[in-house]
């Protein structure tokens, strides 16, 4: 296993399989300025399989496919099929906006996908449209229900945005009471060169939990465990589901971070907040390099994985924490 200089074991890879997305969430992409990575520079499915085969030799046990939106990439089901058959032990997860999965859910289950993270920032149709640029809320809600019927675990991720979705906390709590799923609020992070982050939008986890506790009694239901993600979870009353917070800014979880990220063009990032990248694409595409050398690079880079909060400590949150936009890192 990759072991970093702080003694953290790295067993989790987040792979952005495309920087393209059918939604245009106002906080994620800098609107019209958004430029996509040219197709020739994006990892092919063969590149990804090669990379993941190499990584599995380093005891990477879990991979999360993200983007952009993974379902915006053509033939994603074909890729999942191949990945599952070539690396059956690998725990494959996906993060999606769930607008493009209707009709694919049974197949996902048959392939062996056990859980989906679904991003959903509003339960109000008009507001959803204003945030994402698309009128797809009903479609997403229907797909969430369909996943639950098929026995696919669902974690809803909502970016906590003061003045945008703070008035919907009660509705999200009701959702976690009525449905067997997790709703997790993520603190809004200043990411990307032209970040839209503003102090006014920032809604800290502690404020959010205080407000939630005023609406419903919350019982702790989960703890910081790197294998279960960085969320602090609570059960609202006798609800079927849970509600939680992910607090990268107010309460970092760097000490338990076990992840590496790979961008859609094959650049390895060892910390979300560090712009230091290792270009793996030429290594993946050069037949002379071979998987052993690629593993060596992953191992050496992983060893130098920084403590993100040390990078954060010098920063004022008014300015961006990293240059890349979130849609090309994958969250
Ligand atoms: N398209 C997929 C989706 O919607 O889940 C995957 C990619 S998206 C970049 C991954 C996650 O990052 C989403 O949950 C999104 O809300 C979140 N995200 C994007 N920008 C963010 C920011 N500045 N702060 C916190 N979360 C952010």
């Amino acid at each position: 296993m990759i072991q970093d200089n702080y003694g953290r074991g790295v067993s989790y890879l987040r792979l952005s399989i495309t920087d393209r997305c059918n939604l245009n969430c106002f906080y994620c992409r800098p609107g019209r300025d958004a430029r996509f990575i040219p197709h020739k520079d994006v990892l092919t499915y063969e590149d990804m399989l090669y990379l993941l085969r190499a990584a599995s030799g380093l005891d990477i046990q879990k991979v999360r496919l993200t983007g952009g939106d993974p379902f915006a990439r053509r033939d994603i089901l074909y890729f999942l099929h191949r990945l599952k058959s070539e690396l059956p032990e690998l725990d494959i997860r996906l993060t999606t906006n769930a607008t493009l999965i209707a009709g694919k859910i049974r197949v996902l289950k048959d392939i062996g996908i056990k859980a989906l993270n679904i991003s959903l920032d509003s339960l109000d149709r008009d507001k959803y449209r204003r945030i994402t640029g698309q009128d797809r809320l009903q479609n997403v809600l229907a797909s969430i229900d369909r996943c639950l019927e098929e026995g696919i675990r669902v974690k809803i991720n909502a970016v906590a945005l003061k003045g945008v979705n703070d008035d919907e906390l009660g509705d999200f709590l009701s959702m976690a009471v009525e449905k067997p799923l997790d709703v997790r609020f993520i603190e809004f992070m200043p990411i990307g060169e032209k970040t839209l982050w503003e102090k006014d939008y920032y809604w800290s986890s502690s404020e959010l939990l205080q407000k939630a506790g005023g609406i419903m009694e919350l019982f702790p239901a989960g703890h910081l465990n790197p294998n279960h993600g960085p969320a602090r979870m609570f059960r609202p009353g006798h609800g079927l589901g849970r509600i939680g917070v992910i607090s990268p800014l107010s309460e970092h979880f760097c000490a338990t971070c076990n992840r590496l990220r790979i961008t859609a063009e094959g650049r390895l990032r060892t910390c979300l907040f560090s712009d230091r990248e290792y270009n793996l694409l030429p290594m993946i595409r050069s037949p002379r390099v071979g998987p052993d050398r690629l593993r060596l690079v992953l191992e050496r880079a992983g060893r130098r994985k920084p403590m993100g909060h040390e990078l954060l400590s010098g920063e004022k949150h008014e300015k961006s924490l990293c240059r890349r936009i979130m849609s090309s890192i994958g969250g």
Side-chain angles (χ1 to χ4, degrees):
M1 181 190 264
I2 301 174
Q3 195 84 27
D4 77 7
N5 290 332
Y6 297 95
R8 296 172 295 183
V10 177
S11 56
Y12 175 23
L13 200 69
R14 294 178 66 100
L15 175 60
S16 170
I17 71 164
T18 175
D19 62 329
R20 287 161 204 254
C21 187
N22 59 321
L23 301 186
N24 199 5
C25 299
F26 78 90
Y27 56 80
C28 187
R29 294 189 68 81
R32 287 188 199 135
D33 290 349
R35 261 188 240 121
F36 294 113
I37 302 167
H39 282 298
K40 68 174 182 27
D41 298 331
V42 172
L43 292 176
T44 64
Y45 286 144
E46 291 304 326
D47 293 333
M48 290 182 221
L49 286 164
Y50 181 83
L51 170 66
L52 292 172
R53 276 195 298 266
S56 72
L58 289 168
D59 210 15
I60 295 290
Q61 294 150 10
K62 176 168 148 187
V63 65
R64 177 169 299 284
L65 305 179
T66 173
D69 201 85
F71 292 92
R73 178 135 183 191
R74 202 180 299 162
D75 297 331
I76 171 76
L77 294 179
Y78 155 82
F79 173 60
L80 290 172
H81 237 296
R82 284 225 22 219
L83 187 54
K84 197 68 194 168
S85 50
E86 291 198 25
L87 296 169
E89 301 302 320
L90 189 64
D91 181 1
I92 306 169
R93 309 285 175 99
L94 292 112
T95 295
T96 175
N97 59 42
T99 57
L100 302 171
I101 64 170
K104 297 190 174 76
I105 295 166
R106 169 61 63 82
V107 184
L108 287 173
K109 190 197 174 179
D110 291 344
I111 290 171
I113 303 302
K114 296 193 174 67
L116 285 183
N117 282 9
I118 294 180
S119 305
L120 178 61
D121 300 321
S122 175
L123 299 172
D124 175 88
R125 185 174 169 180
D126 274 349
K127 204 189 291 176
Y128 179 92
R129 188 175 39 74
R130 273 183 273 131
I131 293 172
T132 66
Q134 298 256 353
D135 185 12
R136 305 298 288 265
L137 177 64
Q138 297 314 318
N139 175 291
V140 174
L141 294 175
S143 285
I144 289 171
D145 286 341
R146 193 76 196 90
C147 286
L148 295 175
E149 280 162 27
E150 289 290 352
I152 294 178
R153 280 202 313 282
V154 173
K155 290 181 188 171
I156 305 285
N157 286 337
V159 180
L161 294 162
K162 202 179 260 184
V164 178
N165 58 10
D166 50 344
D167 59 336
E168 293 190 60
L169 185 54
D171 296 334
F172 277 108
L173 278 164
S174 300
M175 190 182 203
V177 169
E178 288 157 19
K179 296 182 195 285
L181 46 70
D182 284 351
V183 176
R184 303 161 346 146
F185 282 93
I186 307 172
E187 285 178 346
F188 185 26
M189 294 177 277
I191 300 278
E193 202 140 25
K194 293 186 182 162
T195 179
L196 294 170
W197 196 91
E198 275 176 34
K199 218 189 265 140
D200 292 349
Y201 284 132
Y202 178 63
W203 188 18
S204 72
S205 295
S206 56
E207 261 185 279
L208 190 152
L209 285 176
Q210 199 178 12
K211 184 168 176 178
I215 301 173
M216 237 174 246
E217 199 170 0
L218 299 179
F219 302 96
H223 44 86
L224 276 175
N225 175 333
N227 297 320
H228 296 120
R232 279 182 290 149
M233 300 305 299
F234 301 85
R235 203 167 286 285
H238 298 291
L240 296 174
R242 302 186 301 171
I243 185 124
V245 288
I246 301 179
S247 326
L249 294 188
S250 66
E251 228 174 306
H252 67 82
F253 32 83
C254 304
T256 55
C257 182
N258 60 350
R259 57 192 65 182
L260 297 178
R261 292 176 164 81
I262 296 182
T263 67
E265 77 270 57
R267 288 174 184 266
L268 169 69
R269 294 175 71 98
T270 55
C271 172
L272 177 60
F273 302 130
S274 167
D275 276 320
R276 176 161 201 174
E277 295 183 347
Y278 303 81
N279 188 3
L280 303 182
L281 189 69
M283 272 179 263
I284 294 171
R285 291 196 179 159
S286 164
R288 275 179 308 165
V289 173
D292 286 342
R293 178 121 183 89
L294 181 58
R295 264 192 290 273
L296 198 66
V297 172
L298 287 169
E299 207 171 357
R300 287 201 177 145
R303 208 180 299 155
R304 295 164 72 181
K305 185 173 157 59
M307 273 292 174
H309 70 91
E310 285 172 4
L311 303 172
L312 287 178
S313 63
E315 301 283 344
K316 282 228 179 82
H317 293 159
E318 280 82 0
K319 83 176 208 218
S320 179
L321 298 173
C322 70
R323 285 200 306 276
R324 254 186 203 276
I325 53 174
M326 200 63 136
S327 57
S328 77
I329 305 175

